[in-house]
Amino acid sequence: MSAQPDHATIPPYAPAPGAPAELLAQLRADRRAERWVPAFEQEWTAALEESRRTFSLAALYEVVQVWQARVASAPAVDAFLASGKDETGFADLE
């Protein structure tokens, strides 16, 4: 009998050390920078305060992960909006 678990555990998400700075540079270069940079900075500040209070980096990691997903999905959202179709795939009748 082994003391090892019989299933693989998934390691928690941990971004690269420079990920927040790289992400902020991406946001500043984007056409949405006027809205996105202040929103990111506000979320980052709140997560930083939570991390100081709880001694956990989880909130910071979550902010990076969410914003990476937003940046990655932005081209698909732009294409959808430019298509003039609604979520059912039909053209908007307006």
Side-chain angles (χ1 to χ4, degrees), residues 20-63:
E22 291 171 13
L23 182 57
L24 187 54
Q26 281 183 301
L27 295 174
R28 287 182 174 145
D30 194 275
R31 66 178 178 83
R32 301 166 193 86
E34 188 176 298
R35 291 174 309 195
W36 279 14
V37 170
F40 172 79
E41 289 174 341
Q42 182 179 12
E43 289 180 29
W44 183 257
T45 300
L48 191 57
E49 287 303 316
E50 182 178 336
S51 292
R52 286 180 181 144
R53 193 180 77 254
T54 63
F55 298 101
S56 171
L57 297 175
L60 295 170
Y61 291 170
E62 183 179 355
V63 169

Side-chain angles (χ1 to χ4, degrees), residues 44 80 83 92 94:
W44 183 257
F80 174 76
S83 73
D92 195 5
E94 292 183 75

